[in-house]
Amino acid sequence: MKRIGVLTSGGDAPGMNAAIRAVVRTSLSNDMSVVGFKRGYNGVLMRSLDQIDDYQMMTSRSVSDKIHRGGTFLMTARCLEFVQPEVQEKAVKNLKTLGVEGLICIGGDGTFQGANALNMKGLPTIGIPGTIDNDLDYTDFTIGFDTALNTACESINRIRETSDSHERASMVTVMGRNCGDIALHTALACGAEIVLIPEREWTVEEVADHMKWGVMKGKRSMIMIIAEGAIASLTSDVHKICAEHESLSDIVGTRLDTNQVARIVEVLSGQETRNTVLGYTQRGGSPTASDRVLASRLGARAVDLMRQDKSGVAVGIRKNKLIEVPIDEARGGRKADRELLKLVDVLS
Ligand code: ADP
Ligand code: F6P
């Protein structure tokens, strides 16, 4: 191959820049040119008035001073119409017109589905896992997960201090979409008392009992980590509980959020409880050394595979060895690590 493209798509993740850098520099050192497409699949569709808004030729200098920066300098976006076959065909046509013979797509599950569609339509693609969620089952880690964990831990250290001073319980809501990995690993790393994830059913009554038990054991404050997707695995009859408590009556009939969960837990446990939603703080920030190394290794491997004409795969890491799997098998649906879940309970 003489020319390939690279893009970042879906939610940004710290380390995406390091992956782009590795793709660009590995390609250039093998006499391949690289086109950087902007805003995910939107760039490939080339609908902007000014071409520079859609794509740019990458040089070694394009990726200077980027390895330590969070976000993605190629920018990212969601491009919902990319599910349509005619839109995908237009993308293939555009890429071929530019002389792009292969495309490296950095993102998560959705991005890989787009890449798979292009591959099936005759444009070779390779996926690099870039998402803080760590929800792709085929790889031990995705780029950005380690940074998100470290950021969450740093925030929770601060929350713990104020929580301790007030002898309160703190619920901390972390990202992860339908995957509990950020919550689980953060809980373990922060010594949290309770972790609530989408992959395990839970009740507010159990959480309240756990808190009461903690107080009896002499705990002055407690940290509960809740994954944003964990509302889906709550099995309590919340409406009944709220109808029985005057102070919770406004929750009846609303779509439950984690602030409301904290209020319910406070009423049932009798322990003052506050919720903090970490939100986008977990997605930004300079990537950790571990994410930079992973991104550099995966970026270089993706280019090596392209050079060997091996496409239609997603690269990843298992037991610290780089691997590749067919991209249509690189899906979400990661299972929660039962050993880690148990450890959070044992160590709490
Ligand atoms: P992530 O890649 O992090 O999982 P999304 O699920 O938002 O993020 O997907 C990112 C983009 O990938 C979408 O905006 C769309 O352009 C593309 N995409 C998602 N699902 C599909 C699909 N089934 N077919 C083609 N493209 C898709
Ligand atoms: O996939 C990364 C992620 O940050 C998820 O953890 C979160 O649910 C989602 O993206 C938020 O998406 P948006 O950028 O649309 O707010």
Side-chain angles (χ1 to χ4, degrees):
M1 277 188 198
K2 282 282 157 221
R3 174 173 291 179
I4 61 165
V6 62
L7 60 78
T8 48
S9 151
D12 65 305
M16 279 183 161
N17 283 327
I20 300 167
R21 174 179 178 271
V23 167
V24 171
R25 295 222 170 137
T26 309
S27 301
L28 295 179
S29 68
N30 285 289
D31 297 323
M32 290 157 72
S33 61
V34 185
V35 183
F37 290 94
K38 299 182 180 176
R39 301 181 186 84
Y41 291 111
N42 293 293
V44 178
L45 294 174
M46 294 177 203
R47 287 175 303 196
S48 302
L49 292 177
D50 195 348
Q51 170 201 304
I52 193 69
D53 280 337
D54 289 324
Y55 64 90
Q56 70 183 72
M57 289 307 295
M58 307 295 276
T59 66
S60 195
R61 293 287 72 77
S62 315
V63 290
S64 293
D65 196 31
K66 297 282 190 288
I67 193 166
H68 61 296
R69 297 193 191 278
T72 157
F73 78 96
L74 284 179
M75 298 172 283
T76 185
R78 297 199 161 94
C79 173
L80 299 181
E81 65 269 42
F82 212 70
V83 296
Q84 299 166 22
E86 59 277 19
V87 175
Q88 296 159 1
E89 273 149 27
K90 171 97 173 89
V92 172
K93 196 164 157 249
N94 287 346
L95 288 163
K96 290 195 169 162
T97 306
L98 274 184
V100 172
E101 296 167 88
L103 184 67
I104 295 182
C105 305
I106 308 170
D109 187 31
T111 301
F112 285 3
Q113 292 190 50
N116 184 44
L118 294 179
N119 196 68
M120 302 289 283
K121 290 190 160 44
L123 195 283
T125 55
I126 292 184
I128 296 182
T131 165
I132 62 167
D133 299 339
N134 211 38
D135 55 348
L136 296 164
D137 200 29
Y138 77 96
T139 180
D140 288 345
F141 298 109
T142 57
I143 298 165
F145 176 62
D146 187 61
T147 308
L149 288 186
N150 280 283
T151 308
C153 286
E154 222 174 87
S155 307
I156 292 162
N157 291 344
R158 291 161 200 251
I159 292 170
R160 195 183 269 286
E161 285 176 1
T162 169
S163 197
D164 258 355
S165 307
H166 285 266
E167 298 180 278
R168 272 176 185 157
S170 277
M171 180 168 269
V172 182
T173 308
V174 297
M175 279 190 163
R177 215 178 268 199
N178 304 317
C179 179
D181 258 35
I182 295 181
L184 182 51
H185 288 247
T186 302
L188 200 52
C190 294
E193 276 71 21
I194 299 172
V195 62
L196 306 169
I197 57 170
E199 298 89 339
R200 180 172 71 171
E201 291 188 345
W202 59 283
T203 67
V204 278
E205 293 91 335
E206 281 163 3
V207 174
D209 285 348
H210 199 114
M211 283 172 60
K212 286 187 204 159
W213 177 233
V215 172
M216 280 167 64
K217 283 198 294 184
K219 286 186 183 268
R220 279 199 331 193
S221 68
M222 271 168 278
I223 301 284
M224 292 170 269
I225 309 292
I226 181 166
E228 61 182 356
I231 297 284
S233 55
L234 168 61
T235 57
S236 303
D237 187 344
V238 171
H239 291 290
K240 182 164 174 280
I241 295 170
C242 294
E244 285 167 0
H245 294 87
E246 178 61 34
S247 62
L248 299 175
S249 58
D250 61 299
I251 298 176
V252 178
T254 63
R255 191 159 173 261
L256 198 69
D257 62 31
T258 56
N259 287 321
Q260 293 169 333
V261 170
R263 284 178 53 205
I264 297 169
V265 167
E266 177 174 86
V267 167
L268 296 188
S269 67
Q271 296 304 308
E272 206 178 0
T273 308
R274 295 282 192 277
N275 182 44
T276 305
V277 181
L278 295 188
Y280 295 112
T281 57
Q282 296 153 98
R283 225 163 68 178
S286 177
T288 57
S290 177
D291 271 331
R292 296 179 203 189
V293 170
L294 178 63
S296 302
R297 291 177 74 191
L298 292 178
R301 171 57 72 97
V303 175
D304 287 344
L305 291 173
M306 277 286 182
R307 291 178 57 229
Q308 296 165 36
D309 286 328
K310 285 193 190 152
S311 61
V313 294
V315 291
I317 190 159
R318 248 188 242 144
K319 297 190 167 70
N320 204 27
K321 293 261 176 297
L322 298 188
I323 51 137
E324 64 265 358
V325 301
I327 199 160
D328 58 344
E329 290 172 19
R331 288 279 178 272
R334 188 186 197 84
K335 311 250 178 331
D337 186 328
R338 298 279 143 190
E339 215 176 293
L340 294 190
L341 265 172
K342 197 166 160 218
L343 201 51
V344 173
D345 291 341
V346 171
L347 300 182
S348 78

